[in-house]
Amino acid sequence: MNGVEKTASERSKAYGSDFLQLDVGDAPAGGMADWLAWRLREAIADGRLAVGGRLPPTRVLAAELRVSRGVVTEAYRRLTEDGHVEGRRRGGTVVVAAPVDAGPGPRAAGPEQPAVFFPAAPGPEAFEILRAAPASIDLTPGLPDLAAFPRAAWLRAERAVLAELSAADLGYGDPHGAPALRRAVSGWLARNRGIRADPDDIVVVAGTAQALTLLHPVLRADGMGAVAVEDPGSLGTRQHLENGGLDILPVPVDADGIRVDALRAGGARAVLLTPAHQFPTGAVLSGERRRELLRWAEDGGGLVLEDDYDAEHRYDRPPVPALRAMLAERVCYMGSVSKLLAPALRVGWVVPPPGYRDALVNAKRFTDLGNAVLPQLVLARLMESGELERHLRLLRGRHRRRRDAMIAAIAEHLPGAVVHGAAAGLHLTVTFDGAGGSGSYGGRGTGGRRGLDGGRGPGGEAAADAGSAGSAGVTGVTGMADAGLAGVTDTELAAAALSCGVKVQPLSWHRLRPGPPGLVLGYAASHPDAVTEGVRLLGRALRGK
Amino acid sequence: MNGVEKTASERSKAYGSDFLQLDVGDAPAGGMADWLAWRLREAIADGRLAVGGRLPPTRVLAAELRVSRGVVTEAYRRLTEDGHVEGRRRGGTVVVAAPVDAGPGPRAAGPEQPAVFFPAAPGPEAFEILRAAPASIDLTPGLPDLAAFPRAAWLRAERAVLAELSAADLGYGDPHGAPALRRAVSGWLARNRGIRADPDDIVVVAGTAQALTLLHPVLRADGMGAVAVEDPGSLGTRQHLENGGLDILPVPVDADGIRVDALRAGGARAVLLTPAHQFPTGAVLSGERRRELLRWAEDGGGLVLEDDYDAEHRYDRPPVPALRAMLAERVCYMGSVSKLLAPALRVGWVVPPPGYRDALVNAKRFTDLGNAVLPQLVLARLMESGELERHLRLLRGRHRRRRDAMIAAIAEHLPGAVVHGAAAGLHLTVTFDGAGGSGSYGGRGTGGRRGLDGGRGPGGEAAADAGSAGSAGVTGVTGMADAGLAGVTDTELAAAALSCGVKVQPLSWHRLRPGPPGLVLGYAASHPDAVTEGVRLLGRALRGK
């Protein structure tokens, strides 16, 4: 809290960098600017850098931290975009607003404002509004470690592509996708997902969102006006289907994945699901359920829309082959680079059932005449050269450490929270099931696993057993009910968290039918220190409820 | 014709490069491989390189031409993709098929095969099928000089973007478009199209095709189930509207552009048009018609969909401001980089009427969550740095020389053809109006101009007066009727041209109601030598009908 009482002029002289207590050794490789911005936000939030104070000149801070001046400039730019600081020519860069969180404990300033980010019935722009919300630490799910994006490899590949490209390649492309990328994806799917697909069977699209949009008219033309979805299941996916004029039939999910008996009883002819790592619960569709599901598809001409959104990321379990690998005729497979490289690339692929291919290509033609060509060729090169698999291995190591940090922090700061689905993916889900010691399940096939409706039956496993390989296991159990959470909705919890500077998603956003409150927590995109600190702040916010 | 009688073994020894009569000085800067591929195709077509013969080793040809080996390798790759040659390990690269054209005069081999590329009622995949047709020279419209694509500038900008990008920039982007690109487009439109639009008014899309797809539901929701279109007008655009479930109301076009009286009489509330350079006739919407059109829009709540596809390219006339600049409330403006840089980029922009903006952004969100971010930031940089305007100036010079070459060649080889709309754009249209000396019009506001239905009235101007700045004017008139064209459809003409190795589009593809036969000829994407040779071959093909 030093400096708060000084005049602006004193402050502007006083500020060097030592008060920031920065240790560059903590910064992730390749993510220096993000890390620095985060540390500065923290310093602003806790008052070390007060509103009205001046940041050290970029030259000075760069020299003290022994980083390039570009890193500091970029970190300042991030803070400027956040609205925390402002450039004032000769006046330097001045702190103009503290993050929503600050100081010890949640602010007195009411939770009304954060609450607007978490409506009980979120609209189509809910994710963008939440993205724009200011926070010190972002634990929303859905992103890999973006600081690890292989910028140098991407640029090298782009240079090679530009050198080899013919002029004709710059014309109108193939709406089906660049042949080079379709060949590369064919190899990728064979190596990583057990799928044998000819390059001609693959359609390149602008991510899974677009895949769904292209499929809407194809499904309707095939008499499928209703699609069964997992409950809980992805809000974004559901919004897409509804926007496409399709009816939604919720089917419950338990620890073995979607309940195929309920699917069968519901009467839908198409189902959209996330079998490798169910979103948001993290359940893996069990072998028995897979067989049931494929029988359902074969018997009744059912169609499985397989959203394989993060299947390449797994930590404590063997890979689960794609459903497409088992029943090509009835499975429409969808994947993308959003979780492998970056959502900003907007590249994905569909392997439709053979009968849908031409209709899908036609829909793609009319939607945008095909994906942009250069990024397709760059990506093909990264796939063919093994660069993308190297990147995936790098991500796995980083994500695992972040996941472990989150589980450890949950054990410490959220005792009584039940952790679900932490054996794979980029996020985990915690539920607050009422009295302490309620059911939980992880990614391993341990007996007696329970779904997100836990808390109804007797007994159950230790809370926060993430199904991870032991080291991350958590033993202490203190019911969150003790912390006064009874009767509190998870949108209120998420708003309280945002008041403390931590952004998370309420589980209820992804539910169609009511269930215990919970939070969906992404760990992959944040440095382990930020993960730990985020969970600590989350615990504080929840205790304040 | 040397070498044709030799055995394959003799040929494989005999072939050096001198028989190719290549002068590298003829090659366009940056388009060496294309130029070489084209020359080799020519040599194959006229028998200098016979089927079964071997191309010179890349090393040898590169040394003889004093070009890099990569250029030769790339040219061979192009020929391999065309199917003209085939790599045979130690056997070298062997000619396996001649282009459809060859030798003196069209081949005896019937036109049945080329005819399949030109159905009278083309389907949605017509353009792709035609693109895949083998030809020595491609004079189809719609492409700028792709060999001039600023590869080095693009790569430099990409490097800078990758260096400055924050990790957050790699996440899910703004479906509205990257703010940096919207700012850059705002400036571009102000400088080049007279449009004042705030960055917030601009929506980034994947080209005009996508703009239309996004607009379909928006139009329907606003009670516009039918859209008036120009006749003749773009086939591709019309297919898009029809695919979107909209009804099409054709409105005739004359030398002053769309007939607003007919639009008014037709009763449609929305009209899609190309006012700056009508496709395919090249007519500029006259001042009087503009005023009429804007009155129509204001009086009856009409909506103008302004497809500004190639307005930046003009040669002999002052710029025509966009309609959007005159009536923002009732004009939905659409532009893209397809004709400025390359269609393969799939980037465009819409400036919708204020009331449509949110619906359009919502449609974009559901279609693909927004354009890919990296190319948007690269493009923004090229726009802000003035690099794109420099490129446009370069293109204008190149395109003008190609346009002049085409007009001169038409005067020599297609006497009696009437040239339309050559004062701007990337293509021109020729019609064969029956008896020689029929009406014509160009881009200038000369009196007595006539539309594409010419040939009905008396007198008229000299044929092939392209409205260009004098030098390219054509005087000799010999009615194509003399060449026996009466009763021949333009799809047959296009098929005959393809038999001679030249790819063009039949005008009737772009007509909704019958009219004189014609061809749409793109000049911008081909070297002047190829343009001249293409028109020469076209003349030969037509005389063969």
Side-chain angles (χ1 to χ4, degrees), chain A residues 74 77 151 155, chain B residues 154-166 169 373-382:
Chain A
E74 171 58 23
R77 192 179 71 78
R151 297 174 191 225
L155 190 65
Chain B
W154 184 274
L155 190 65
R156 269 198 310 276
E158 176 119 11
R159 182 184 300 113
V161 164
L162 281 168
E164 289 179 4
L165 205 65
S166 74
D169 289 332
V373 174
L374 287 182
Q376 289 189 74
L377 299 181
V378 172
L379 181 60
R381 191 166 264 269
L382 294 179

PDB file of all heavy atoms in Angstrom, chain A residues 74 77 151 155, chain B residues 154-166 169 373-382:
ATOM      1  N   GLU A  74       4.078  -4.525 -24.913  1.00  0.00           N
ATOM      2  CA  GLU A  74       2.908  -5.362 -25.149  1.00  0.00           C
ATOM      3  C   GLU A  74       2.078  -5.518 -23.872  1.00  0.00           C
ATOM      4  O   GLU A  74       0.851  -5.436 -23.896  1.00  0.00           O
ATOM      5  CB  GLU A  74       3.363  -6.731 -25.676  1.00  0.00           C
ATOM      6  CG  GLU A  74       2.270  -7.777 -25.770  1.00  0.00           C
ATOM      7  CD  GLU A  74       1.116  -7.346 -26.645  1.00  0.00           C
ATOM      8  OE1 GLU A  74       1.322  -6.471 -27.515  1.00  0.00           O
ATOM      9  OE2 GLU A  74      -0.006  -7.868 -26.456  1.00  0.00           O
ATOM     10  N   ARG A  77       0.216  -2.460 -23.396  1.00  0.00           N
ATOM     11  CA  ARG A  77      -0.882  -2.373 -24.362  1.00  0.00           C
ATOM     12  C   ARG A  77      -2.090  -3.188 -23.868  1.00  0.00           C
ATOM     13  O   ARG A  77      -3.240  -2.770 -23.961  1.00  0.00           O
ATOM     14  CB  ARG A  77      -0.416  -2.920 -25.714  1.00  0.00           C
ATOM     15  CG  ARG A  77      -1.371  -2.628 -26.872  1.00  0.00           C
ATOM     16  CD  ARG A  77      -0.865  -3.167 -28.201  1.00  0.00           C
ATOM     17  NE  ARG A  77      -0.922  -4.618 -28.284  1.00  0.00           N
ATOM     18  CZ  ARG A  77      -2.019  -5.314 -28.515  1.00  0.00           C
ATOM     19  NH1 ARG A  77      -3.165  -4.716 -28.710  1.00  0.00           N
ATOM     20  NH2 ARG A  77      -1.997  -6.639 -28.563  1.00  0.00           N
ATOM     21  N   ARG A 151       4.468 -19.610 -32.829  1.00  0.00           N
ATOM     22  CA  ARG A 151       4.530 -18.476 -33.754  1.00  0.00           C
ATOM     23  C   ARG A 151       5.642 -18.652 -34.773  1.00  0.00           C
ATOM     24  O   ARG A 151       5.457 -18.399 -35.964  1.00  0.00           O
ATOM     25  CB  ARG A 151       4.758 -17.176 -32.979  1.00  0.00           C
ATOM     26  CG  ARG A 151       3.616 -16.862 -32.027  1.00  0.00           C
ATOM     27  CD  ARG A 151       3.925 -15.638 -31.157  1.00  0.00           C
ATOM     28  NE  ARG A 151       2.922 -15.535 -30.100  1.00  0.00           N
ATOM     29  CZ  ARG A 151       2.308 -14.417 -29.732  1.00  0.00           C
ATOM     30  NH1 ARG A 151       2.608 -13.281 -30.322  1.00  0.00           N
ATOM     31  NH2 ARG A 151       1.416 -14.420 -28.779  1.00  0.00           N
ATOM     32  N   LEU A 155       5.173 -19.040 -38.804  1.00  0.00           N
ATOM     33  CA  LEU A 155       5.742 -18.086 -39.756  1.00  0.00           C
ATOM     34  C   LEU A 155       6.653 -18.798 -40.761  1.00  0.00           C
ATOM     35  O   LEU A 155       6.619 -18.500 -41.962  1.00  0.00           O
ATOM     36  CB  LEU A 155       6.523 -17.005 -39.003  1.00  0.00           C
ATOM     37  CG  LEU A 155       6.960 -15.824 -39.865  1.00  0.00           C
ATOM     38  CD1 LEU A 155       5.768 -15.035 -40.378  1.00  0.00           C
ATOM     39  CD2 LEU A 155       7.893 -14.901 -39.080  1.00  0.00           C
TER      40      LEU A 155
ATOM     41  N   TRP B 154       3.072  -9.365 -47.602  1.00  0.00           N
ATOM     42  CA  TRP B 154       2.180 -10.152 -46.753  1.00  0.00           C
ATOM     43  C   TRP B 154       2.975 -10.839 -45.648  1.00  0.00           C
ATOM     44  O   TRP B 154       2.599 -10.823 -44.476  1.00  0.00           O
ATOM     45  CB  TRP B 154       1.414 -11.186 -47.602  1.00  0.00           C
ATOM     46  CG  TRP B 154       0.407 -11.955 -46.804  1.00  0.00           C
ATOM     47  CD1 TRP B 154       0.634 -13.087 -46.079  1.00  0.00           C
ATOM     48  CD2 TRP B 154      -0.980 -11.627 -46.614  1.00  0.00           C
ATOM     49  NE1 TRP B 154      -0.526 -13.492 -45.457  1.00  0.00           N
ATOM     50  CE2 TRP B 154      -1.526 -12.619 -45.766  1.00  0.00           C
ATOM     51  CE3 TRP B 154      -1.794 -10.601 -47.088  1.00  0.00           C
ATOM     52  CZ2 TRP B 154      -2.870 -12.606 -45.385  1.00  0.00           C
ATOM     53  CZ3 TRP B 154      -3.139 -10.597 -46.700  1.00  0.00           C
ATOM     54  CH2 TRP B 154      -3.657 -11.584 -45.854  1.00  0.00           C
ATOM     55  N   LEU B 155       4.088 -11.446 -46.025  1.00  0.00           N
ATOM     56  CA  LEU B 155       4.895 -12.170 -45.047  1.00  0.00           C
ATOM     57  C   LEU B 155       5.475 -11.208 -44.003  1.00  0.00           C
ATOM     58  O   LEU B 155       5.486 -11.519 -42.817  1.00  0.00           O
ATOM     59  CB  LEU B 155       6.014 -12.946 -45.753  1.00  0.00           C
ATOM     60  CG  LEU B 155       6.774 -13.931 -44.861  1.00  0.00           C
ATOM     61  CD1 LEU B 155       5.862 -15.059 -44.392  1.00  0.00           C
ATOM     62  CD2 LEU B 155       7.986 -14.500 -45.598  1.00  0.00           C
ATOM     63  N   ARG B 156       5.939 -10.054 -44.459  1.00  0.00           N
ATOM     64  CA  ARG B 156       6.461  -9.054 -43.511  1.00  0.00           C
ATOM     65  C   ARG B 156       5.380  -8.659 -42.513  1.00  0.00           C
ATOM     66  O   ARG B 156       5.612  -8.571 -41.314  1.00  0.00           O
ATOM     67  CB  ARG B 156       6.903  -7.789 -44.260  1.00  0.00           C
ATOM     68  CG  ARG B 156       8.344  -7.763 -44.704  1.00  0.00           C
ATOM     69  CD  ARG B 156       8.799  -6.342 -45.039  1.00  0.00           C
ATOM     70  NE  ARG B 156       7.901  -5.621 -45.937  1.00  0.00           N
ATOM     71  CZ  ARG B 156       7.915  -5.725 -47.264  1.00  0.00           C
ATOM     72  NH1 ARG B 156       8.767  -6.545 -47.865  1.00  0.00           N
ATOM     73  NH2 ARG B 156       7.074  -5.034 -48.014  1.00  0.00           N
ATOM     74  N   ALA B 157       4.187  -8.393 -43.042  1.00  0.00           N
ATOM     75  CA  ALA B 157       3.092  -7.974 -42.158  1.00  0.00           C
ATOM     76  C   ALA B 157       2.728  -9.099 -41.205  1.00  0.00           C
ATOM     77  O   ALA B 157       2.458  -8.875 -40.022  1.00  0.00           O
ATOM     78  CB  ALA B 157       1.878  -7.552 -42.985  1.00  0.00           C
ATOM     79  N   GLU B 158       2.745 -10.315 -41.699  1.00  0.00           N
ATOM     80  CA  GLU B 158       2.410 -11.455 -40.830  1.00  0.00           C
ATOM     81  C   GLU B 158       3.456 -11.598 -39.716  1.00  0.00           C
ATOM     82  O   GLU B 158       3.110 -11.873 -38.574  1.00  0.00           O
ATOM     83  CB  GLU B 158       2.326 -12.744 -41.656  1.00  0.00           C
ATOM     84  CG  GLU B 158       2.077 -13.979 -40.804  1.00  0.00           C
ATOM     85  CD  GLU B 158       0.783 -14.682 -41.143  1.00  0.00           C
ATOM     86  OE1 GLU B 158       0.155 -14.347 -42.167  1.00  0.00           O
ATOM     87  OE2 GLU B 158       0.395 -15.584 -40.374  1.00  0.00           O
ATOM     88  N   ARG B 159       4.715 -11.398 -40.072  1.00  0.00           N
ATOM     89  CA  ARG B 159       5.754 -11.493 -39.050  1.00  0.00           C
ATOM     90  C   ARG B 159       5.513 -10.445 -37.961  1.00  0.00           C
ATOM     91  O   ARG B 159       5.576 -10.739 -36.776  1.00  0.00           O
ATOM     92  CB  ARG B 159       7.143 -11.288 -39.670  1.00  0.00           C
ATOM     93  CG  ARG B 159       8.254 -11.432 -38.633  1.00  0.00           C
ATOM     94  CD  ARG B 159       9.638 -11.134 -39.203  1.00  0.00           C
ATOM     95  NE  ARG B 159       9.998 -12.012 -40.281  1.00  0.00           N
ATOM     96  CZ  ARG B 159      10.158 -11.650 -41.566  1.00  0.00           C
ATOM     97  NH1 ARG B 159      10.005 -10.383 -41.916  1.00  0.00           N
ATOM     98  NH2 ARG B 159      10.468 -12.521 -42.475  1.00  0.00           N
ATOM     99  N   ALA B 160       5.202  -9.222 -38.385  1.00  0.00           N
ATOM    100  CA  ALA B 160       4.968  -8.149 -37.410  1.00  0.00           C
ATOM    101  C   ALA B 160       3.747  -8.466 -36.548  1.00  0.00           C
ATOM    102  O   ALA B 160       3.754  -8.263 -35.331  1.00  0.00           O
ATOM    103  CB  ALA B 160       4.781  -6.825 -38.144  1.00  0.00           C
ATOM    104  N   VAL B 161       2.706  -8.992 -37.177  1.00  0.00           N
ATOM    105  CA  VAL B 161       1.489  -9.323 -36.426  1.00  0.00           C
ATOM    106  C   VAL B 161       1.786 -10.412 -35.404  1.00  0.00           C
ATOM    107  O   VAL B 161       1.387 -10.319 -34.237  1.00  0.00           O
ATOM    108  CB  VAL B 161       0.367  -9.768 -37.390  1.00  0.00           C
ATOM    109  CG1 VAL B 161      -0.749 -10.471 -36.640  1.00  0.00           C
ATOM    110  CG2 VAL B 161      -0.172  -8.564 -38.157  1.00  0.00           C
ATOM    111  N   LEU B 162       2.508 -11.450 -35.823  1.00  0.00           N
ATOM    112  CA  LEU B 162       2.804 -12.549 -34.899  1.00  0.00           C
ATOM    113  C   LEU B 162       3.684 -12.065 -33.739  1.00  0.00           C
ATOM    114  O   LEU B 162       3.576 -12.570 -32.622  1.00  0.00           O
ATOM    115  CB  LEU B 162       3.498 -13.697 -35.640  1.00  0.00           C
ATOM    116  CG  LEU B 162       2.562 -14.594 -36.445  1.00  0.00           C
ATOM    117  CD1 LEU B 162       3.358 -15.509 -37.383  1.00  0.00           C
ATOM    118  CD2 LEU B 162       1.686 -15.447 -35.523  1.00  0.00           C
ATOM    119  N   ALA B 163       4.533 -11.080 -34.014  1.00  0.00           N
ATOM    120  CA  ALA B 163       5.405 -10.582 -32.957  1.00  0.00           C
ATOM    121  C   ALA B 163       4.630  -9.745 -31.940  1.00  0.00           C
ATOM    122  O   ALA B 163       4.952  -9.733 -30.755  1.00  0.00           O
ATOM    123  CB  ALA B 163       6.534  -9.756 -33.560  1.00  0.00           C
ATOM    124  N   GLU B 164       3.578  -9.079 -32.401  1.00  0.00           N
ATOM    125  CA  GLU B 164       2.867  -8.143 -31.520  1.00  0.00           C
ATOM    126  C   GLU B 164       1.630  -8.734 -30.855  1.00  0.00           C
ATOM    127  O   GLU B 164       1.127  -8.194 -29.880  1.00  0.00           O
ATOM    128  CB  GLU B 164       2.409  -6.929 -32.343  1.00  0.00           C
ATOM    129  CG  GLU B 164       3.548  -6.044 -32.753  1.00  0.00           C
ATOM    130  CD  GLU B 164       3.063  -4.874 -33.576  1.00  0.00           C
ATOM    131  OE1 GLU B 164       1.823  -4.726 -33.743  1.00  0.00           O
ATOM    132  OE2 GLU B 164       3.908  -4.121 -34.053  1.00  0.00           O
ATOM    133  N   LEU B 165       1.148  -9.783 -31.440  1.00  0.00           N
ATOM    134  CA  LEU B 165      -0.088 -10.423 -31.002  1.00  0.00           C
ATOM    135  C   LEU B 165      -0.034 -10.778 -29.516  1.00  0.00           C
ATOM    136  O   LEU B 165       0.971 -11.294 -29.037  1.00  0.00           O
ATOM    137  CB  LEU B 165      -0.167 -11.718 -31.803  1.00  0.00           C
ATOM    138  CG  LEU B 165      -1.448 -12.397 -32.085  1.00  0.00           C
ATOM    139  CD1 LEU B 165      -2.300 -11.504 -32.988  1.00  0.00           C
ATOM    140  CD2 LEU B 165      -1.158 -13.709 -32.812  1.00  0.00           C
ATOM    141  N   SER B 166      -1.122 -10.567 -28.795  1.00  0.00           N
ATOM    142  CA  SER B 166      -1.181 -11.081 -27.433  1.00  0.00           C
ATOM    143  C   SER B 166      -1.777 -12.476 -27.491  1.00  0.00           C
ATOM    144  O   SER B 166      -2.413 -12.851 -28.469  1.00  0.00           O
ATOM    145  CB  SER B 166      -2.054 -10.184 -26.572  1.00  0.00           C
ATOM    146  OG  SER B 166      -3.423 -10.377 -26.899  1.00  0.00           O
ATOM    147  N   ASP B 169      -5.377 -12.527 -28.198  1.00  0.00           N
ATOM    148  CA  ASP B 169      -5.777 -12.344 -29.591  1.00  0.00           C
ATOM    149  C   ASP B 169      -5.967 -13.680 -30.301  1.00  0.00           C
ATOM    150  O   ASP B 169      -6.590 -13.744 -31.359  1.00  0.00           O
ATOM    151  CB  ASP B 169      -4.717 -11.541 -30.360  1.00  0.00           C
ATOM    152  CG  ASP B 169      -4.681 -10.074 -29.950  1.00  0.00           C
ATOM    153  OD1 ASP B 169      -5.734  -9.563 -29.523  1.00  0.00           O
ATOM    154  OD2 ASP B 169      -3.614  -9.455 -30.064  1.00  0.00           O
ATOM    155  N   VAL B 373      -8.552 -14.610 -37.268  1.00  0.00           N
ATOM    156  CA  VAL B 373      -7.999 -13.351 -36.766  1.00  0.00           C
ATOM    157  C   VAL B 373      -6.691 -12.949 -37.449  1.00  0.00           C
ATOM    158  O   VAL B 373      -6.521 -11.796 -37.863  1.00  0.00           O
ATOM    159  CB  VAL B 373      -7.809 -13.423 -35.230  1.00  0.00           C
ATOM    160  CG1 VAL B 373      -7.109 -12.185 -34.717  1.00  0.00           C
ATOM    161  CG2 VAL B 373      -9.167 -13.581 -34.547  1.00  0.00           C
ATOM    162  N   LEU B 374      -5.748 -13.883 -37.597  1.00  0.00           N
ATOM    163  CA  LEU B 374      -4.437 -13.509 -38.155  1.00  0.00           C
ATOM    164  C   LEU B 374      -4.552 -12.796 -39.499  1.00  0.00           C
ATOM    165  O   LEU B 374      -3.995 -11.709 -39.675  1.00  0.00           O
ATOM    166  CB  LEU B 374      -3.531 -14.742 -38.305  1.00  0.00           C
ATOM    167  CG  LEU B 374      -2.926 -15.367 -37.044  1.00  0.00           C
ATOM    168  CD1 LEU B 374      -2.017 -16.537 -37.413  1.00  0.00           C
ATOM    169  CD2 LEU B 374      -2.149 -14.326 -36.278  1.00  0.00           C
ATOM    170  N   PRO B 375      -5.264 -13.389 -40.483  1.00  0.00           N
ATOM    171  CA  PRO B 375      -5.334 -12.696 -41.773  1.00  0.00           C
ATOM    172  C   PRO B 375      -5.998 -11.324 -41.667  1.00  0.00           C
ATOM    173  O   PRO B 375      -5.654 -10.404 -42.413  1.00  0.00           O
ATOM    174  CB  PRO B 375      -6.177 -13.641 -42.638  1.00  0.00           C
ATOM    175  CG  PRO B 375      -6.130 -14.963 -41.952  1.00  0.00           C
ATOM    176  CD  PRO B 375      -5.960 -14.676 -40.499  1.00  0.00           C
ATOM    177  N   GLN B 376      -6.922 -11.172 -40.738  1.00  0.00           N
ATOM    178  CA  GLN B 376      -7.544  -9.855 -40.558  1.00  0.00           C
ATOM    179  C   GLN B 376      -6.501  -8.836 -40.107  1.00  0.00           C
ATOM    180  O   GLN B 376      -6.468  -7.703 -40.597  1.00  0.00           O
ATOM    181  CB  GLN B 376      -8.650  -9.913 -39.500  1.00  0.00           C
ATOM    182  CG  GLN B 376      -9.910 -10.652 -39.913  1.00  0.00           C
ATOM    183  CD  GLN B 376     -11.015 -10.438 -38.866  1.00  0.00           C
ATOM    184  OE1 GLN B 376     -11.613  -9.375 -38.776  1.00  0.00           O
ATOM    185  NE2 GLN B 376     -11.284 -11.451 -38.065  1.00  0.00           N
ATOM    186  N   LEU B 377      -5.640  -9.251 -39.172  1.00  0.00           N
ATOM    187  CA  LEU B 377      -4.647  -8.310 -38.653  1.00  0.00           C
ATOM    188  C   LEU B 377      -3.579  -8.011 -39.703  1.00  0.00           C
ATOM    189  O   LEU B 377      -3.087  -6.885 -39.801  1.00  0.00           O
ATOM    190  CB  LEU B 377      -4.025  -8.872 -37.371  1.00  0.00           C
ATOM    191  CG  LEU B 377      -5.016  -9.102 -36.216  1.00  0.00           C
ATOM    192  CD1 LEU B 377      -4.292  -9.646 -34.996  1.00  0.00           C
ATOM    193  CD2 LEU B 377      -5.776  -7.824 -35.864  1.00  0.00           C
ATOM    194  N   VAL B 378      -3.232  -9.020 -40.497  1.00  0.00           N
ATOM    195  CA  VAL B 378      -2.252  -8.803 -41.570  1.00  0.00           C
ATOM    196  C   VAL B 378      -2.825  -7.810 -42.591  1.00  0.00           C
ATOM    197  O   VAL B 378      -2.157  -6.851 -42.995  1.00  0.00           O
ATOM    198  CB  VAL B 378      -1.896 -10.140 -42.250  1.00  0.00           C
ATOM    199  CG1 VAL B 378      -1.032  -9.903 -43.487  1.00  0.00           C
ATOM    200  CG2 VAL B 378      -1.178 -11.061 -41.271  1.00  0.00           C
ATOM    201  N   LEU B 379      -4.068  -8.029 -42.959  1.00  0.00           N
ATOM    202  CA  LEU B 379      -4.699  -7.148 -43.939  1.00  0.00           C
ATOM    203  C   LEU B 379      -4.818  -5.723 -43.400  1.00  0.00           C
ATOM    204  O   LEU B 379      -4.579  -4.740 -44.118  1.00  0.00           O
ATOM    205  CB  LEU B 379      -6.074  -7.713 -44.306  1.00  0.00           C
ATOM    206  CG  LEU B 379      -6.852  -6.928 -45.335  1.00  0.00           C
ATOM    207  CD1 LEU B 379      -6.095  -6.845 -46.651  1.00  0.00           C
ATOM    208  CD2 LEU B 379      -8.227  -7.580 -45.563  1.00  0.00           C
ATOM    209  N   ALA B 380      -5.178  -5.614 -42.131  1.00  0.00           N
ATOM    210  CA  ALA B 380      -5.295  -4.287 -41.519  1.00  0.00           C
ATOM    211  C   ALA B 380      -3.974  -3.544 -41.643  1.00  0.00           C
ATOM    212  O   ALA B 380      -3.920  -2.359 -41.968  1.00  0.00           O
ATOM    213  CB  ALA B 380      -5.695  -4.424 -40.046  1.00  0.00           C
ATOM    214  N   ARG B 381      -2.893  -4.277 -41.426  1.00  0.00           N
ATOM    215  CA  ARG B 381      -1.567  -3.664 -41.488  1.00  0.00           C
ATOM    216  C   ARG B 381      -1.247  -3.217 -42.915  1.00  0.00           C
ATOM    217  O   ARG B 381      -0.686  -2.144 -43.131  1.00  0.00           O
ATOM    218  CB  ARG B 381      -0.558  -4.695 -41.000  1.00  0.00           C
ATOM    219  CG  ARG B 381       0.804  -4.213 -40.733  1.00  0.00           C
ATOM    220  CD  ARG B 381       1.567  -5.267 -39.948  1.00  0.00           C
ATOM    221  NE  ARG B 381       1.509  -4.987 -38.542  1.00  0.00           N
ATOM    222  CZ  ARG B 381       2.434  -4.251 -37.906  1.00  0.00           C
ATOM    223  NH1 ARG B 381       3.457  -3.734 -38.564  1.00  0.00           N
ATOM    224  NH2 ARG B 381       2.342  -4.024 -36.625  1.00  0.00           N
ATOM    225  N   LEU B 382      -1.601  -4.041 -43.901  1.00  0.00           N
ATOM    226  CA  LEU B 382      -1.341  -3.679 -45.300  1.00  0.00           C
ATOM    227  C   LEU B 382      -2.158  -2.454 -45.696  1.00  0.00           C
ATOM    228  O   LEU B 382      -1.725  -1.626 -46.489  1.00  0.00           O
ATOM    229  CB  LEU B 382      -1.660  -4.847 -46.236  1.00  0.00           C
ATOM    230  CG  LEU B 382      -0.776  -6.086 -46.115  1.00  0.00           C
ATOM    231  CD1 LEU B 382      -1.236  -7.174 -47.091  1.00  0.00           C
ATOM    232  CD2 LEU B 382       0.687  -5.741 -46.382  1.00  0.00           C
TER     233      LEU B 382
END
